[in-house]
Amino acid sequence: MNKLILFFSVLGTVISDLNKERAYINLVNTIPCIRRFNSTHQIGCGKLDYSSYEGIVYTVRSNNEFERLKNLNKLDIPNLVVVTLPNYFSRVVDLHQNDDEISRIQGIVLISNSEFLSNFSQSDFSFSDDTKSPNSHFSLYKTNKTYGASNWNPSGTNYMFQNFNIPFYIIYDLNETIQVIEECYDKFNQHIFEKYVSDSFSIKSSESLCGMQLGLQMSGSVSSTVCTRRSSIMHTLESSSFCDPLGGSNYFTFMSQKPSNSLPIVILSARLDAFTMYEYYTPGANQPISALIGLFGIIELLGKHRSQVNSSNILVVLFDNEAFDYGGSTRFANDLQKDKFPEIVLDYGIDNEESFVLKKDNITSIIELNQLGSIGYDLNQDLFIHKDPISFGKDKNVAKTVIELTEKLTKYSKNIKPISNINQQLPPSSIHSFLRNDILIGGVSLADFNSEFSSNFYHSVFDTADNMNVTFPEEMTEEDAANYTTMFAQRLQALTTSIAQTIFSLHNPSNTDLKDQVSQITLNRLVYCFYKNSTCKFFQDMMTESQWKSYQNLLEANLPKGVLSFYTGVDDNPISGKWLASMLLRYFSRNLDLESLSRDECSKDFEKVKNYEKDNKVSIRNFYYVNNSICVASSIYASSSVSPAFEKFDEGILVNTGRFSAWTESSWNGVDVQMKIFMFSRPSIAGLTLSLGIVSLVLAFVVTFLAEKFAHRLFYSKNPEQNDIFE
């Protein structure tokens, strides 16, 4: 009897679980807004005490639907999950935030699929998750507002740095977008909400509604200071932590492959990262991709003239973790300032190794490639030279260097111009970190804007190639598209050639000009691969088989699958776009004298390579043979981009948070990130279910009572005489 009861109990549990799974439809192509912290605050989405949020699906695709939502949000109605188009997103968020304690909105879902959005008017749409003055808390002008305007980003909403008590999600897949909008809301909910009149709203007992559940729970809270202390305590008990520092690696290389402090050093730099509110989803078309494309074109050209630049050293640096208050460049500059820069081991093809540590006193200038994307538009073909007016006015050497850079840049291109306001602040730039760490160098930041960003989508999921006017003709083969010259690539060639010429001439004793230009073919292919096809043959040819597999795995791991990510994450989490950029830096800075080596010869142990290093006094670190039959002999180095504030993170202590940024990311609390749609039970069905449950309960009590009362008739005990027979 007991076994029978246990069987039916298990069967009932299994059936109920199966019914539950049949009632919910999982949406897998979605990405959540996550929680992060600085030294004093928490930002992001969701509460600690909820594992899921749910409500009736309501969409905002028109002004009428938004106005209806405003009125519904004031009523005592069931909770809502609002699914919205991009141009209504800010209005929906502000509606919730203005009355978040009484708001009926339990979640906000943003539609980002471009094919679906093409059916709706998105004119004059602009959006940025960042502030109007990005990184202002760690700029040179935090306490000095004398120099010009600081609102560089007019599209800024500051949503990235707000704390929301509900989850935000983004849907990027077309099929799932249709499933939510057309098969859920339009089919079941729209006609009910359209009956809304004045201040009344009711649901009939015969009406079914489509709902949505959003799962989200992260374990960190309060601030990086509190979270770091708690994590330190937890580390003594178990391996988990509440939060982890943001950052990864800065990548750098000396074009000469001769690291030395005996020659002046010119830094050519670009950013490597971006952020949005959503985990991994950082298209970064304008920032940082446009600058990376230009940088790779420049170093490929300079690599052809490596032997001619012998009175200076060109140091190429890709700064990571810049989006969060210059974490990477601050670490780079602070290590220089404190003589703690990582040691580099050099061997020059001989048995005796030497060590090299970069010194700040040898760095004379820095040329930064900032946002370049808007040169692809008809009327925007200029780059502007930005500088810091404070150091320019106070230090003669800085002023001399900046003037020389400006004169050369404007000499080689009529489309590279000084800014109109000479007292204007330096925009968001890695140069801030050097000057804030008292490393006085002449620096210029080259950007496609004068007094405010040209991009309407800085640090946004809509910073895409389409919004940069980079498109390719339809029905074009991959080979033709890879060689197609967009307006952006065409203008970028002329501008980057002028920048390369400037760098080449800075310390070139012969004072001659470059005879060739940045390769238009290379730029075309980089534009196509970065913006159209991240698994293009051009990228594949620049890697080994194993490297290509690693790259494909990263593309699958970082959502959306197949889309490059430049997400600012934690140190042990490889990101597809950053990893790719480090590989491209290796490839384009390779030693051209050794690229014709065979597969067997492409090794540091090969005698010919050792003799080459010894004769030319160069130290080459990386050797591998790629798919297009080229030996890549390069010397790429990495240094940490984690902020100096985390030097004592394992001890639960943050260091000098007034000077250094202290951004962390919350760890997850074991709850799956999930979005599900389901059907709410009709009130009539719910009442019927309750009634049947009560009746079943009463019947169970009656049956149990009767069974116990008449047990002597229902169950016979064994007769002793019968036992003797069977024995």
Side-chain angles (χ1 to χ4, degrees), residues 261-268 311-315 336 358-367 395-405 434-435 439-444 503 506-507:
N261 285 310
S262 61
L263 295 175
I265 295 173
V266 180
I267 293 179
L268 172 65
S311 63
S312 67
N313 236 329
I314 301 170
L315 175 61
L336 284 176
L358 181 64
K359 301 295 183 181
K360 67 179 186 298
D361 296 335
N362 297 89
I363 302 174
T364 59
S365 56
I366 178 170
I367 299 176
D395 190 281
K396 292 182 179 179
N397 290 328
V398 169
K400 180 181 177 182
T401 301
V402 170
I403 290 172
E404 182 183 11
L405 289 172
F434 289 87
L435 297 177
I439 301 176
L440 293 176
I441 56 176
V444 296
I503 297 171
L506 279 175
H507 300 284

Side-chain angles (χ1 to χ4, degrees), residues 181-199:
I181 298 292
E182 298 179 6
E183 298 175 14
C184 174
Y185 177 77
D186 289 350
K187 185 176 180 179
F188 295 101
N189 298 1
Q190 185 176 25
H191 68 280
I192 296 175
F193 283 110
E194 286 180 347
K195 293 187 299 184
Y196 165 79
V197 179
S198 185
D199 293 331

